[in-house]
Amino acid sequence: MLSLTRRLPMRQGLVSAAGGLAVVGHGIVVYTTLRAHQGLHLGIFETVSLVFFLITTLLLLASIKKPVMPAAVGLYPLAALSVLGAVGFPESSIEYGFTPGMLVHIATSVLAYALLIMAAGQAVLLAVQTHALKHNHLRGIIQVLPPLTTMERLMFELIIYGMAFLTASIISGFLFINDLFAQHLAHKTVLSLLAWVLFSILLWGRYQRGWRGSWAIRWTLGAVIVLIVAYFGTRLIIQLLHG
């Protein structure tokens, strides 16, 4: 954070090393909290921790060639909170009987969430940068952010990759999970499909109508919110009702 605000010089090697250690520690927490005898603990906090483990890992790997580290300012603290949640509020129930197809569905879903939440983080930074430039506020983190065009291009790259995994997740869900429109899955399925439609419209608008700026930011954040509610919102409601 101090490096991004130019209070200290950027030391990429030190940042990467510290980030790598944090990711390893997070990975250990994910393994120990998810693992169960012949099954998995897939509570809300465990799943959130897994998603943010992938986010921090992808951020670290992408930072080798892409200017994604500014997004870590907001996403790394959330990753730390997800660790605290997984450790402090462990899931007692165990889910069994995962077929290879179901595991493919889970893996693609988690990767889609990770990439699209990263895109949302990028959208927030883009919104802050756009606002600052419009009002001639050029101090702090704005000084070290890449140009607007680079930030926007990176956001859409994350959306494209995320959409690829979201598409694979939806297809694998229909192929390998019985009755996606059952009562306990209907909201998740409908909202996931709605998020897919919103992202598809956004990408169409980007490459056919040249959508950019605040319009693209709003669509990105709105679609990501729908996707988050699709799983975490419905899962929370179900747990509250069962509780």
Side-chain angles (χ1 to χ4, degrees):
M1 180 66 182
L2 292 174
S3 297
L4 289 174
T5 55
R6 290 199 168 181
R7 295 181 183 179
L8 289 176
M10 174 66 78
R11 297 179 180 178
Q12 186 62 41
L14 180 61
V15 171
S16 298
L21 289 174
V23 165
V24 170
H26 195 162
I28 294 171
V29 171
V30 167
Y31 176 76
T32 55
T33 55
L34 282 178
R35 185 174 61 90
H37 181 63
Q38 297 183 344
L40 294 173
H41 295 293
L42 286 177
I44 291 178
F45 292 107
E46 287 82 2
T47 307
V48 170
S49 180
L50 174 60
V51 169
F52 274 100
F53 166 69
L54 287 175
I55 288 173
T56 52
T57 302
L58 291 171
L59 274 174
L60 197 62
L61 294 174
S63 67
I64 298 172
K65 291 187 177 181
K66 300 284 187 179
V68 296
M69 287 312 292
V73 173
L75 293 175
Y76 275 14
L78 292 177
L81 289 175
S82 75
V83 170
L84 294 176
V87 173
F89 303 94
E91 176 67 32
S92 59
S93 62
I94 302 174
E95 298 190 27
Y96 302 94
F98 293 104
T99 64
M102 291 173 68
L103 292 175
V104 168
H105 173 69
I106 292 171
T108 51
S109 298
V110 172
L111 282 167
Y113 274 101
L115 287 162
L116 293 170
I117 288 174
M118 287 172 64
Q122 192 72 11
V124 171
L125 278 178
L126 191 58
V128 171
Q129 187 178 21
T130 301
H131 181 271
L133 292 175
K134 284 183 178 179
H135 294 83
N136 202 31
H137 297 158
L138 304 178
R139 295 182 179 180
I141 193 173
I142 303 302
Q143 295 176 291
V144 296
L145 289 177
L148 275 175
T149 53
T150 302
M151 294 283 288
E152 196 169 71
R153 184 171 63 250
L154 181 56
M155 181 183 75
F156 277 101
E157 286 178 5
L158 290 168
I159 291 172
I160 290 170
Y161 291 128
M163 270 290 287
F165 282 106
L166 181 59
T167 303
S169 169
I170 292 171
I171 292 173
S172 61
F174 279 103
L175 289 176
F176 302 118
I177 296 178
N178 294 327
D179 194 4
L180 276 178
F181 290 96
Q183 185 176 4
H184 66 294
L185 292 175
H187 295 88
K188 174 180 178 292
T189 303
V190 170
L191 289 173
S192 296
L193 290 171
L194 176 59
W196 188 91
V197 170
L198 292 175
F199 280 119
S200 298
I201 293 173
L202 173 60
L203 292 177
W204 175 84
R206 166 70 171 180
Y207 295 106
Q208 297 297 322
R209 293 289 186 267
W211 290 358
R212 56 181 305 173
S214 58
W215 189 253
I217 292 168
R218 292 192 190 101
W219 271 88
T220 300
L221 293 176
V224 170
I225 289 171
V226 170
L227 188 62
I228 290 172
V229 173
Y231 178 80
F232 298 107
T234 54
R235 184 69 179 254
L236 179 61
I237 291 172
I238 289 171
Q239 287 192 358
L240 289 174
L241 290 175
H242 287 176

